[in-house]
Amino acid sequence: MFDQVECTIPKDDGTLVSYVGFRVQHDNARGPMKGGIRYHPEVDPDEVNALAQLMTWKTAVADIPYGGAKGGIGCNPKDLSVSELERLTRVFTQKIHDLIGVNTDVPAPDMGTNAQDLGGSLGREPATGRGVVYATEALLAEYGKHIKDLTFAIQGFGNVGAWAGKLIHERGGKVVAVSDITGAVKNPNGLDIPALLSHKEKTGKLIDFAGADVMNSDELLTHECDVLIPCALGGVLNRENADNVKAKFIIEAANHPTDPDADEILSKKGVVILPDIYANAGGVTVSYFEWVQNIQGFMWDEEKVNRELKKYMTRAFHNLKGMCHSHNCNLRMGAFTLGVNRVARATQLRGWEA
């Protein structure tokens, strides 16, 4: 189901301005639909539709009882004051009020929005980055490898990349290169991630950090490392750069960072790609824990949240590997097969099949 609404709000100066908002509901065979709401100037109905479908498969792979949805408003949140953003959010919520609800469709923060809310779960902010690390540990264990023995390059140092970098550093892994929109830095002996994070907090950028050399951001994806973690935009690995990737493992923390051409080139090179619909499912998994806690009115401590997240991510990886073995396919095909099978089975059990 696709819903488009017009949201008109008074700006702080009294003038009226209108924005177009969307909510796409893809599938609810396995439970209430779940998906973020993004505020971005280029929110596009086709993109929102594709992301809603992706959420259906992602929740199925993680084995949480949700379907897929996605929403957005075509606006630039940087151009709006806090009170304007609040008015816009309230109007949008009123317009889609009949579509959403705790048992039908549960929105979440996304690009350009945040978690300002009541009843949030501990551990939700680092959840996607933490899930990426648990997924990486599960994959490496298959090859008899450990984070502490490997080098990592991280593209994107926002919420997901920063938390993944911090947790890899804590486990003794060597993060040798990091980039974001402000630039890129490298240190072959490993970056001091906590010091880099505090430098970024103080200055707003990665460059000029004393413990690193500046590098060209475009070179990060082809930098010498064992594990590459793209945490930024989609389509960053393509036919132009895939042949030059030196990493042996790619963990897709971003949505769709590897385009089909790159997928083929990298597979032929023997690079192991952990697909986005599994690798970045930590966020929606902890969103599920949040939903459970709110329904019960019983909040968990952060240790329990992290313990449960590790259990879900590890179990999902073994289910995914099982699918790869039985269908003799790679991890991406195994993940989609697992997700589609689970949704098809739920649809059949409900008697909804055509």
Side-chain angles (χ1 to χ4, degrees), residues 130-140 251 274 278-279 313 317:
R130 191 177 287 279
V132 164
V133 173
Y134 290 151
T136 304
E137 287 178 323
L139 174 67
L140 294 176
I251 314 293
L274 197 60
Y278 163 67
M313 293 302 290
F317 179 76

Side-chain angles (χ1 to χ4, degrees), residues 228-282:
L228 172 64
I229 311 182
C231 303
L233 299 168
V236 293
L237 290 164
N238 46 52
R239 67 162 60 149
E240 273 75 53
N241 59 14
D243 225 12
N244 300 319
V245 168
K246 297 177 187 70
K248 301 168 196 70
F249 300 93
I250 295 173
I251 314 293
E252 293 188 333
N255 281 327
H256 191 56
T258 315
D259 79 6
D261 291 333
D263 222 6
E264 204 174 315
I265 294 164
L266 291 162
S267 293
K268 281 180 183 158
K269 282 177 64 171
V271 177
V272 177
I273 303 173
L274 197 60
D276 50 1
I277 63 165
Y278 163 67
N280 66 27

Side-chain angles (χ1 to χ4, degrees), residues 73-104:
I73 299 177
C75 70
N76 189 344
K78 291 189 176 74
D79 295 344
L80 297 169
S81 68
V82 173
S83 58
E84 287 167 346
L85 281 168
E86 183 182 336
R87 287 196 286 277
L88 179 57
T89 304
R90 288 185 185 280
V91 169
F92 181 55
T93 306
Q94 284 163 2
K95 298 266 183 170
I96 63 166
H97 180 266
D98 292 345
L99 301 179
I100 60 174
V102 68
N103 297 312
T104 49

Side-chain angles (χ1 to χ4, degrees), residues 30 34 54-64 66-68 284:
R30 299 184 63 259
K34 178 76 186 169
L54 203 63
M55 286 301 294
T56 297
W57 316 130
K58 188 182 293 187
T59 51
V61 168
D63 205 15
I64 53 179
Y66 282 148
V284 71

Side-chain angles (χ1 to χ4, degrees), residues 108-171:
D110 202 285
M111 192 188 294
T113 55
N114 62 36
Q116 183 178 332
D117 193 8
L118 295 172
S121 174
L122 293 172
R124 176 62 187 90
E125 189 209 327
T128 308
R130 191 177 287 279
V132 164
V133 173
Y134 290 151
T136 304
E137 287 178 323
L139 174 67
L140 294 176
E142 283 284 306
Y143 293 85
K145 295 179 186 293
H146 303 277
I147 284 177
K148 66 181 173 58
D149 303 322
L150 301 175
T151 57
F152 296 78
I154 300 174
Q155 188 208 30
F157 211 53
N159 173 282
V160 180
W163 275 105
K166 188 169 182 282
L167 295 165
I168 287 164
H169 183 80
E170 281 174 14
R171 284 160 170 73

